[in-house]
Amino acid sequence: MSTTHIPQSTYSISDLSKEFDITTRSIRFYEDQGLIKPKRRGQTRIYSLKDRVRLKLILRGKRLGFSLAETRRLFELYDADKSSSTQLQTMLDLVNEKKSALQQQMDDIKVVLMELNSAEQQCKAALADNSAKKAK
């Protein structure tokens, strides 16, 4: 018996919190930042499918190293131009910037590792030299 998952049309803050394994405080923070805009029914926040998708994109962007400002910019571009060619080009530019920054970090890490290996070898050699002198 197969069950097809039909997405809900609305979500509570606790629904999204559980689904994405984040705190309700985080969700409210993204709301305060203007990244998601739930409707209100009294004090209750009612999140739409659009809010859910945006939350998913915010979290994915965060994992990829995008700042909230960069994510907001992509959302604004999408809202302004639903054909999204500008958004896609901006996304490509951001991806290339992130890749370049990560490559630079990898290069920097390699240099630091070489320096640490050199320092380690020098320490080991000095210890061996000290041990040899004490043995005499």
Side-chain angles (χ1 to χ4, degrees), residues 9-90:
S9 59
T10 62
Y11 303 84
S12 70
I13 195 167
S14 60
D15 291 338
L16 295 178
S17 173
K18 288 175 192 164
E19 179 178 353
F20 294 108
D21 194 27
I22 59 174
T23 64
T24 55
R25 184 177 179 187
S26 294
I27 296 171
R28 287 190 298 271
F29 174 76
Y30 298 136
E31 180 185 346
D32 291 343
Q33 296 297 306
L35 296 169
I36 53 178
K37 297 173 179 121
K39 294 191 179 354
R40 298 274 185 156
R41 188 177 304 136
Q43 292 291 351
T44 306
R45 293 170 169 85
I46 309 294
Y47 295 89
S48 67
L49 185 57
K50 178 181 177 181
D51 292 319
R52 182 187 167 277
V53 169
R54 285 192 173 207
L55 184 56
K56 187 174 184 175
L57 292 171
I58 291 164
L59 297 173
R60 182 179 295 157
K62 188 175 166 185
R63 276 194 314 276
L64 294 173
F66 291 105
S67 69
L68 292 181
E70 290 167 330
T71 300
R72 180 182 304 102
R73 183 172 170 219
L74 290 171
F75 287 168
E76 288 168 354
L77 289 170
Y78 177 77
D79 290 342
D81 175 16
K82 297 285 193 245
S83 72
S84 75
S85 53
T86 305
Q87 181 195 31
L88 291 172
Q89 187 56 54
T90 301

Coordinates of all heavy atoms in Angstrom, one line a residue, residues 9-90:
S9 N -0.9 22.9 3.1 CA -0.9 24.2 2.6 C -0.5 25.2 3.6 O -0.1 26.3 3.3 CB -2.3 24.6 2.0 OG -3.3 24.5 3.1
T10 N -0.6 24.8 4.9 CA -0.2 25.7 6.0 C 0.5 24.9 7.1 O 0.3 23.7 7.2 CB -1.4 26.5 6.7 OG1 -2.3 25.5 7.2 CG2 -2.1 27.4 5.7
Y11 N 1.4 25.6 7.8 CA 2.2 24.9 8.8 C 2.3 25.8 10.1 O 2.3 27.0 10.0 CB 3.7 24.7 8.3 CG 3.7 23.9 7.0 CD1 3.5 24.6 5.8 CD2 4.0 22.6 7.0 CE1 3.6 23.9 4.6 CE2 4.0 21.9 5.9 CZ 3.8 22.5 4.6 OH 3.9 21.8 3.5
S12 N 2.4 25.2 11.2 CA 2.6 25.9 12.4 C 4.1 26.0 12.6 O 4.9 25.3 12.0 CB 2.0 25.2 13.6 OG 2.7 24.0 13.9
I13 N 4.5 26.9 13.6 CA 5.9 27.0 13.8 C 6.5 25.7 14.4 O 7.6 25.4 14.0 CB 6.2 28.2 14.8 CG1 7.7 28.6 14.7 CG2 5.7 28.0 16.2 CD1 8.0 30.0 15.4
S14 N 5.7 25.0 15.1 CA 6.2 23.7 15.7 C 6.4 22.7 14.6 O 7.3 21.8 14.6 CB 5.4 23.2 16.8 OG 4.1 23.0 16.4
D15 N 5.5 22.7 13.6 CA 5.6 21.8 12.4 C 6.9 22.0 11.7 O 7.7 21.0 11.5 CB 4.5 22.0 11.4 CG 3.1 21.6 11.8 OD1 3.0 20.8 12.8 OD2 2.1 22.2 11.3
L16 N 7.2 23.2 11.5 CA 8.5 23.6 10.7 C 9.7 23.3 11.6 O 10.7 22.8 11.1 CB 8.5 25.0 10.3 CG 7.4 25.3 9.2 CD1 7.5 26.8 8.9 CD2 7.6 24.5 8.0
S17 N 9.6 23.6 12.9 CA 10.7 23.3 13.8 C 11.0 21.9 13.8 O 12.2 21.5 13.8 CB 10.3 23.8 15.2 OG 11.2 23.5 16.2
K18 N 10.0 21.0 13.9 CA 10.3 19.6 13.9 C 10.8 19.1 12.6 O 11.7 18.3 12.5 CB 9.0 18.8 14.3 CG 8.6 19.0 15.7 CD 7.2 18.3 16.0 CE 6.7 18.7 17.3 NZ 5.3 18.5 17.5
E19 N 10.2 19.5 11.5 CA 10.6 19.1 10.2 C 12.0 19.4 9.9 O 12.8 18.5 9.3 CB 9.7 19.7 9.1 CG 10.1 19.2 7.7 CD 9.2 19.8 6.6 OE1 8.2 20.5 6.9 OE2 9.5 19.6 5.4
F20 N 12.5 20.6 10.2 CA 13.8 21.0 9.9 C 14.8 20.9 11.0 O 16.0 21.2 10.9 CB 13.8 22.4 9.3 CG 13.1 22.5 8.0 CD1 11.9 23.2 8.0 CD2 13.6 22.0 6.9 CE1 11.2 23.3 6.8 CE2 12.9 22.1 5.6 CZ 11.7 22.7 5.6
D21 N 14.3 20.4 12.2 CA 15.2 20.2 13.3 C 15.9 21.4 13.7 O 17.1 21.5 13.9 CB 16.2 19.0 13.1 CG 16.8 18.5 14.4 OD1 16.2 18.7 15.5 OD2 18.0 18.0 14.3
I22 N 15.1 22.5 13.8 CA 15.7 23.8 14.3 C 14.7 24.3 15.4 O 13.6 23.8 15.5 CB 15.8 24.8 13.2 CG1 14.5 25.1 12.5 CG2 16.9 24.4 12.2 CD1 14.5 26.2 11.4
T23 N 15.2 25.3 16.1 CA 14.4 25.9 17.2 C 13.3 26.8 16.6 O 13.5 27.4 15.6 CB 15.2 26.6 18.2 OG1 15.9 27.7 17.6 CG2 16.3 25.7 18.8
T24 N 12.3 27.0 17.4 CA 11.3 28.0 17.0 C 11.9 29.4 17.0 O 11.5 30.3 16.3 CB 10.0 27.9 17.9 OG1 10.4 28.1 19.3 CG2 9.3 26.6 17.7
R25 N 12.8 29.6 17.9 CA 13.5 30.8 18.0 C 14.2 31.2 16.7 O 14.2 32.3 16.2 CB 14.5 30.8 19.2 CG 15.2 32.1 19.4 CD 16.1 32.0 20.6 NE 16.8 33.2 20.9 CZ 17.8 33.4 21.7 NH1 18.1 32.4 22.5 NH2 18.4 34.5 21.9
S26 N 14.9 30.2 16.1 CA 15.5 30.4 14.8 C 14.5 30.8 13.7 O 14.8 31.7 12.9 CB 16.2 29.1 14.3 OG 17.3 28.7 15.2
I27 N 13.4 30.1 13.7 CA 12.4 30.5 12.7 C 11.9 31.9 12.9 O 11.8 32.7 12.0 CB 11.2 29.5 12.8 CG1 11.7 28.1 12.4 CG2 10.0 29.9 11.9 CD1 10.7 27.0 12.6
R28 N 11.7 32.3 14.2 CA 11.3 33.7 14.5 C 12.4 34.7 14.1 O 12.1 35.8 13.6 CB 10.9 33.8 16.0 CG 9.6 33.2 16.3 CD 9.1 33.5 17.7 NE 10.0 33.1 18.8 CZ 10.0 31.9 19.4 NH1 9.0 31.0 19.0 NH2 10.8 31.6 20.3
F29 N 13.6 34.3 14.2 CA 14.7 35.1 13.8 C 14.7 35.4 12.3 O 14.8 36.5 11.8 CB 16.1 34.5 14.2 CG 17.3 35.3 13.7 CD1 17.7 36.5 14.3 CD2 18.0 34.8 12.6 CE1 18.7 37.2 13.8 CE2 19.1 35.5 12.1 CZ 19.5 36.7 12.7
Y30 N 14.5 34.3 11.5 CA 14.4 34.4 10.1 C 13.2 35.3 9.7 O 13.2 36.1 8.7 CB 14.3 33.1 9.4 CG 15.5 32.2 9.6 CD1 15.4 30.9 9.9 CD2 16.8 32.8 9.5 CE1 16.5 30.1 10.1 CE2 17.9 32.0 9.7 CZ 17.8 30.7 10.0 OH 18.9 29.9 10.2
E31 N 12.1 35.2 10.5 CA 11.0 36.1 10.3 C 11.3 37.5 10.5 O 11.0 38.4 9.8 CB 9.8 35.6 11.2 CG 8.6 36.5 11.0 CD 7.5 36.1 12.0 OE1 7.5 35.0 12.6 OE2 6.5 36.9 12.1
D32 N 12.0 37.8 11.7 CA 12.5 39.1 12.0 C 13.4 39.7 11.0 O 13.4 40.9 10.7 CB 13.2 39.1 13.4 CG 12.3 38.9 14.6 OD1 11.1 39.0 14.4 OD2 12.8 38.5 15.6
Q33 N 14.1 38.9 10.3 CA 15.0 39.3 9.2 C 14.3 39.6 7.9 O 14.9 40.0 6.9 CB 16.2 38.3 9.0 CG 17.1 38.1 10.2 CD 17.8 39.4 10.5 OE1 18.5 40.0 9.7 NE2 17.7 39.9 11.7
G34 N 13.0 39.2 7.9 CA 12.2 39.5 6.7 C 12.4 38.4 5.6 O 11.9 38.6 4.5
L35 N 12.9 37.3 6.0 CA 13.1 36.2 5.0 C 11.9 35.3 4.8 O 11.7 34.7 3.8 CB 14.3 35.3 5.4 CG 15.7 36.1 5.4 CD1 16.7 35.2 6.1 CD2 16.1 36.4 4.0
I36 N 11.1 35.2 5.9 CA 9.8 34.5 5.8 C 8.8 35.4 6.4 O 9.1 36.2 7.3 CB 9.8 33.1 6.4 CG1 10.3 33.2 7.9 CG2 10.7 32.1 5.6 CD1 10.3 31.9 8.6
K37 N 7.5 35.3 5.9 CA 6.5 36.2 6.3 C 5.2 35.5 6.5 O 4.3 35.4 5.7 CB 6.3 37.3 5.2 CG 7.5 38.1 5.0 CD 7.4 39.1 3.8 CE 8.6 39.9 3.7 NZ 9.3 39.8 2.5
P38 N 5.1 34.8 7.7 CA 3.8 34.1 8.0 C 2.7 35.0 8.2 O 2.8 36.2 8.6 CB 4.2 33.4 9.3 CG 5.2 34.2 10.0 CD 6.0 34.8 8.8
K39 N 1.5 34.5 8.0 CA 0.3 35.2 8.3 C 0.0 35.1 9.8 O 0.6 34.2 10.4 CB -0.9 34.7 7.5 CG -0.7 34.9 6.0 CD -2.0 34.6 5.3 CE -2.0 34.9 3.8 NZ -0.9 35.4 3.2
R40 N -0.8 35.9 10.3 CA -1.1 35.8 11.8 C -2.6 35.6 12.0 O -3.4 36.1 11.3 CB -0.7 37.1 12.5 CG 0.7 37.5 12.4 CD 1.4 36.9 13.5 NE 2.8 37.3 13.6 CZ 3.5 37.3 14.6 NH1 3.0 36.9 15.8 NH2 4.8 37.7 14.6
R41 N -2.9 34.7 12.9 CA -4.2 34.5 13.4 C -4.1 34.7 14.9 O -3.8 33.8 15.6 CB -4.7 33.1 13.1 CG -6.2 32.9 13.4 CD -6.8 31.6 13.0 NE -6.5 31.3 11.6 CZ -6.1 30.1 11.1 NH1 -5.9 29.1 12.0 NH2 -6.0 29.9 9.9
G42 N -4.4 36.0 15.3 CA -4.2 36.3 16.7 C -2.7 36.3 17.0 O -1.9 37.0 16.3
Q43 N -2.3 35.5 18.0 CA -0.8 35.4 18.3 C -0.2 34.3 17.5 O 1.0 34.1 17.5 CB -0.6 35.2 19.8 CG -1.0 36.4 20.6 CD 0.0 37.5 20.5 OE1 1.1 37.4 19.8 NE2 -0.4 38.6 21.0
T44 N -1.0 33.5 16.8 CA -0.5 32.3 16.1 C 0.1 32.6 14.7 O -0.6 33.3 14.0 CB -1.6 31.2 16.0 OG1 -2.2 31.0 17.3 CG2 -1.1 29.9 15.4
R45 N 1.2 32.1 14.5 CA 1.8 32.3 13.1 C 1.3 31.1 12.2 O 1.4 30.0 12.6 CB 3.4 32.2 13.2 CG 4.0 33.4 13.9 CD 5.5 33.1 14.2 NE 6.2 34.3 14.6 CZ 6.3 34.6 15.9 NH1 5.7 34.0 16.8 NH2 7.0 35.7 16.2
I46 N 0.9 31.5 11.0 CA 0.5 30.5 10.0 C 1.5 30.6 8.9 O 1.5 31.6 8.1 CB -0.9 30.7 9.6 CG1 -1.9 30.9 10.8 CG2 -1.4 29.7 8.6 CD1 -2.1 29.7 11.6
Y47 N 2.3 29.6 8.7 CA 3.3 29.5 7.6 C 2.7 28.9 6.4 O 2.1 27.8 6.5 CB 4.5 28.8 8.1 CG 5.2 29.5 9.2 CD1 4.9 29.3 10.5 CD2 6.2 30.5 9.0 CE1 5.5 30.0 11.6 CE2 6.8 31.2 10.0 CZ 6.5 30.9 11.3 OH 7.1 31.6 12.3
S48 N 3.0 29.5 5.2 CA 2.5 28.9 4.0 C 3.6 28.0 3.4 O 4.7 27.8 3.9 CB 2.3 30.1 3.0 OG 3.6 30.7 2.6
L49 N 3.2 27.3 2.3 CA 4.1 26.4 1.6 C 5.3 27.3 1.1 O 6.5 26.8 1.2 CB 3.4 25.8 0.4 CG 4.2 24.7 -0.4 CD1 4.7 23.6 0.5 CD2 3.4 24.1 -1.5
K50 N 5.1 28.5 0.7 CA 6.2 29.4 0.3 C 7.1 29.6 1.4 O 8.4 29.6 1.2 CB 5.6 30.7 -0.2 CG 6.7 31.7 -0.7 CD 6.0 33.0 -1.1 CE 7.1 34.1 -1.5 NZ 6.5 35.3 -1.9
D51 N 6.6 29.9 2.6 CA 7.5 30.1 3.8 C 8.3 28.8 4.1 O 9.5 28.9 4.4 CB 6.6 30.4 5.0 CG 6.0 31.7 5.0 OD1 6.6 32.7 4.5 OD2 4.8 31.8 5.4
R52 N 7.7 27.6 3.9 CA 8.4 26.4 4.2 C 9.5 26.2 3.2 O 10.6 25.8 3.5 CB 7.4 25.2 4.0 CG 8.0 23.9 4.3 CD 7.1 22.7 4.0 NE 7.8 21.5 4.0 CZ 8.4 21.0 2.9 NH1 8.4 21.7 1.8 NH2 9.0 19.9 2.9
V53 N 9.2 26.5 1.9 CA 10.3 26.4 0.9 C 11.4 27.4 1.1 O 12.6 27.0 1.0 CB 9.7 26.6 -0.6 CG1 10.7 26.8 -1.6 CG2 8.7 25.5 -0.9
R54 N 11.0 28.6 1.5 CA 12.1 29.6 1.8 C 12.9 29.2 3.0 O 14.1 29.3 3.0 CB 11.4 30.9 2.0 CG 11.0 31.6 0.7 CD 10.7 33.0 0.8 NE 10.5 33.5 -0.5 CZ 10.7 34.8 -0.8 NH1 11.0 35.7 0.0 NH2 10.4 35.2 -2.1
L55 N 12.3 28.6 4.0 CA 13.0 28.1 5.2 C 14.0 27.0 4.8 O 15.2 27.0 5.2 CB 12.1 27.6 6.3 CG 12.7 27.2 7.6 CD1 13.5 28.3 8.2 CD2 11.6 26.7 8.6
K56 N 13.6 26.1 3.9 CA 14.4 25.1 3.4 C 15.6 25.7 2.6 O 16.8 25.2 2.8 CB 13.6 24.1 2.5 CG 14.4 22.9 2.0 CD 13.4 22.0 1.3 CE 14.1 20.7 0.9 NZ 13.1 19.8 0.2
L57 N 15.4 26.7 1.8 CA 16.4 27.3 1.1 C 17.4 28.1 2.0 O 18.6 28.1 1.7 CB 15.8 28.3 0.0 CG 15.1 27.6 -1.1 CD1 14.4 28.6 -2.0 CD2 16.0 26.8 -2.0
I58 N 16.8 28.7 3.0 CA 17.7 29.5 4.0 C 18.7 28.5 4.6 O 19.9 28.8 4.7 CB 16.8 30.1 5.1 CG1 16.0 31.3 4.5 CG2 17.7 30.6 6.2 CD1 14.9 31.8 5.4
L59 N 18.2 27.3 5.1 CA 19.0 26.4 5.7 C 20.0 25.7 4.8 O 21.2 25.5 5.1 CB 18.1 25.3 6.4 CG 17.2 25.8 7.5 CD1 16.3 24.7 8.0 CD2 18.0 26.4 8.6
R60 N 19.6 25.5 3.5 CA 20.6 25.0 2.5 C 21.6 26.0 2.3 O 22.8 25.7 2.2 CB 19.8 24.6 1.3 CG 20.7 24.0 0.2 CD 20.0 23.7 -1.1 NE 19.1 22.6 -0.8 CZ 18.0 22.3 -1.5 NH1 17.7 23.1 -2.6 NH2 17.2 21.3 -1.2
G61 N 21.2 27.3 2.1 CA 22.2 28.3 1.9 C 23.2 28.5 3.0 O 24.4 28.7 2.8
K62 N 22.7 28.3 4.2 CA 23.5 28.4 5.4 C 24.6 27.3 5.4 O 25.8 27.6 5.6 CB 22.6 28.3 6.6 CG 23.3 28.5 7.9 CD 22.3 28.5 9.1 CE 23.0 28.4 10.4 NZ 22.1 28.2 11.5
R63 N 24.2 26.1 5.0 CA 25.1 25.0 4.9 C 26.2 25.2 3.9 O 27.3 24.8 4.0 CB 24.4 23.7 4.6 CG 23.8 22.9 5.8 CD 23.4 21.5 5.5 NE 22.6 21.4 4.2 CZ 21.3 21.5 4.1 NH1 20.6 21.9 5.1 NH2 20.7 21.4 2.9
L64 N 25.8 25.9 2.8 CA 26.7 26.2 1.7 C 27.6 27.4 2.0 O 28.4 27.8 1.2 CB 25.9 26.4 0.4 CG 25.2 25.1 -0.1 CD1 24.4 25.5 -1.3 CD2 26.3 24.0 -0.5
G65 N 27.3 28.1 3.1 CA 28.1 29.3 3.4 C 27.6 30.6 3.0 O 28.3 31.6 3.1
F66 N 26.3 30.6 2.6 CA 25.7 31.9 2.2 C 25.3 32.7 3.4 O 24.8 32.1 4.4 CB 24.5 31.7 1.3 CG 24.8 31.2 -0.1 CD1 24.6 29.8 -0.4 CD2 25.4 32.0 -1.0 CE1 24.9 29.3 -1.6 CE2 25.7 31.5 -2.3 CZ 25.5 30.2 -2.6
S67 N 25.5 34.0 3.4 CA 25.1 34.8 4.5 C 23.5 35.0 4.4 O 23.0 34.8 3.3 CB 25.8 36.1 4.5 OG 25.4 36.9 3.4
L68 N 22.9 35.5 5.4 CA 21.5 35.8 5.3 C 21.2 36.9 4.4 O 20.2 37.0 3.7 CB 20.9 36.1 6.7 CG 20.8 34.9 7.7 CD1 20.2 35.3 9.0 CD2 20.1 33.7 7.1
A69 N 22.2 37.9 4.3 CA 22.1 39.0 3.4 C 22.1 38.5 1.9 O 21.3 39.0 1.1 CB 23.2 40.0 3.6
E70 N 22.9 37.5 1.6 CA 23.0 36.9 0.3 C 21.7 36.2 0.0 O 21.2 36.3 -1.1 CB 24.2 36.0 0.2 CG 25.5 36.8 0.2 CD 26.7 35.9 0.4 OE1 26.6 34.8 1.0 OE2 27.8 36.3 -0.1
T71 N 21.2 35.4 0.9 CA 20.0 34.7 0.7 C 18.8 35.7 0.5 O 18.0 35.5 -0.4 CB 19.7 33.8 2.0 OG1 20.8 32.9 2.1 CG2 18.4 33.1 1.8
R72 N 18.8 36.8 1.3 CA 17.7 37.8 1.2 C 17.8 38.4 -0.3 O 16.8 38.6 -0.9 CB 17.9 38.9 2.2 CG 16.8 40.0 2.1 CD 17.0 41.1 3.1 NE 17.0 40.7 4.5 CZ 18.1 40.5 5.2 NH1 19.3 40.8 4.7 NH2 18.0 40.1 6.4
R73 N 19.0 38.6 -0.7 CA 19.2 39.2 -2.1 C 18.6 38.3 -3.1 O 17.9 38.7 -4.1 CB 20.7 39.5 -2.3 CG 21.0 40.1 -3.6 CD 22.4 40.6 -3.7 NE 22.8 41.0 -5.0 CZ 23.9 40.7 -5.6 NH1 24.8 40.0 -5.0 NH2 24.1 41.1 -6.8
L74 N 18.9 37.0 -3.0 CA 18.3 36.0 -4.0 C 16.8 36.0 -3.9 O 16.2 36.0 -5.0 CB 18.9 34.6 -3.7 CG 20.4 34.5 -4.0 CD1 20.9 33.1 -3.5 CD2 20.6 34.6 -5.5
F75 N 16.2 36.1 -2.7 CA 14.8 36.1 -2.6 C 14.2 37.3 -3.2 O 13.2 37.3 -3.9 CB 14.4 36.0 -1.1 CG 14.5 34.7 -0.5 CD1 14.4 34.6 0.9 CD2 14.8 33.5 -1.2 CE1 14.6 33.3 1.6 CE2 15.0 32.3 -0.5 CZ 14.9 32.2 0.8
E76 N 14.9 38.5 -3.0 CA 14.4 39.7 -3.6 C 14.4 39.7 -5.1 O 13.5 40.2 -5.8 CB 15.2 40.9 -3.0 CG 14.9 41.2 -1.6 CD 15.9 42.2 -1.0 OE1 16.9 42.6 -1.6 OE2 15.7 42.6 0.2
L77 N 15.5 39.1 -5.6 CA 15.6 39.0 -7.1 C 14.5 38.1 -7.6 O 13.9 38.4 -8.7 CB 17.0 38.5 -7.5 CG 18.2 39.4 -7.3 CD1 19.5 38.7 -7.5 CD2 18.1 40.6 -8.2
Y78 N 14.3 37.0 -7.0 CA 13.2 36.1 -7.4 C 11.9 36.8 -7.4 O 11.1 36.7 -8.3 CB 13.2 34.8 -6.6 CG 12.1 33.9 -7.0 CD1 12.2 33.1 -8.1 CD2 10.9 33.8 -6.2 CE1 11.2 32.3 -8.5 CE2 9.9 33.0 -6.6 CZ 10.0 32.2 -7.8 OH 9.0 31.4 -8.2
D79 N 11.6 37.5 -6.3 CA 10.3 38.2 -6.1 C 10.1 39.3 -7.2 O 9.0 39.5 -7.7 CB 10.2 38.9 -4.8 CG 10.0 37.8 -3.7 OD1 9.7 36.7 -4.0 OD2 10.3 38.2 -2.5
A80 N 11.2 39.9 -7.6 CA 11.2 41.0 -8.6 C 11.1 40.4 -10.0 O 10.5 41.0 -10.9 CB 12.4 41.9 -8.5
D81 N 11.7 39.3 -10.3 CA 11.7 38.7 -11.6 C 11.5 37.2 -11.5 O 12.4 36.4 -11.4 CB 13.1 39.0 -12.2 CG 13.3 38.3 -13.6 OD1 12.3 37.9 -14.2 OD2 14.5 38.2 -14.0
K82 N 10.2 36.8 -11.7 CA 9.8 35.4 -11.6 C 10.5 34.5 -12.6 O 10.6 33.3 -12.5 CB 8.3 35.2 -11.6 CG 7.6 35.9 -10.5 CD 7.7 35.1 -9.2 CE 6.7 35.6 -8.2 NZ 7.3 36.2 -7.0
S83 N 10.9 35.1 -13.7 CA 11.6 34.3 -14.8 C 13.0 33.8 -14.2 O 13.6 32.9 -14.7 CB 11.8 35.1 -16.1 OG 12.8 36.1 -15.9
S84 N 13.5 34.5 -13.2 CA 14.6 34.2 -12.4 C 16.0 34.1 -13.1 O 16.9 33.6 -12.6 CB 14.4 32.9 -11.7 OG 14.4 31.7 -12.5
S85 N 16.1 34.6 -14.3 CA 17.4 34.6 -15.0 C 18.4 35.5 -14.2 O 19.6 35.1 -14.1 CB 17.3 35.0 -16.5 OG 16.6 36.3 -16.6
T86 N 17.9 36.6 -13.7 CA 18.8 37.5 -12.9 C 19.2 36.7 -11.6 O 20.4 36.7 -11.2 CB 18.1 38.8 -12.5 OG1 17.7 39.4 -13.8 CG2 19.1 39.7 -11.8
Q87 N 18.2 36.1 -11.0 CA 18.5 35.3 -9.8 C 19.5 34.2 -10.1 O 20.5 34.0 -9.3 CB 17.2 34.7 -9.2 CG 17.4 34.0 -7.9 CD 16.3 33.1 -7.6 OE1 15.5 32.6 -8.4 NE2 16.0 32.9 -6.3
L88 N 19.3 33.5 -11.2 CA 20.2 32.4 -11.5 C 21.7 32.9 -11.7 O 22.6 32.3 -11.3 CB 19.7 31.6 -12.7 CG 18.5 30.8 -12.4 CD1 17.9 30.2 -13.7 CD2 18.7 29.7 -11.4
Q89 N 21.8 34.0 -12.4 CA 23.1 34.5 -12.7 C 23.8 35.0 -11.4 O 25.0 34.7 -11.1 CB 23.1 35.7 -13.7 CG 24.4 36.2 -14.1 CD 25.3 35.1 -14.7 OE1 24.9 34.4 -15.6 NE2 26.5 34.9 -14.2
T90 N 23.0 35.6 -10.5 CA 23.5 36.0 -9.2 C 23.9 34.8 -8.4 O 25.0 34.8 -7.7 CB 22.4 36.9 -8.4 OG1 22.1 38.0 -9.2 CG2 22.9 37.3 -7.1

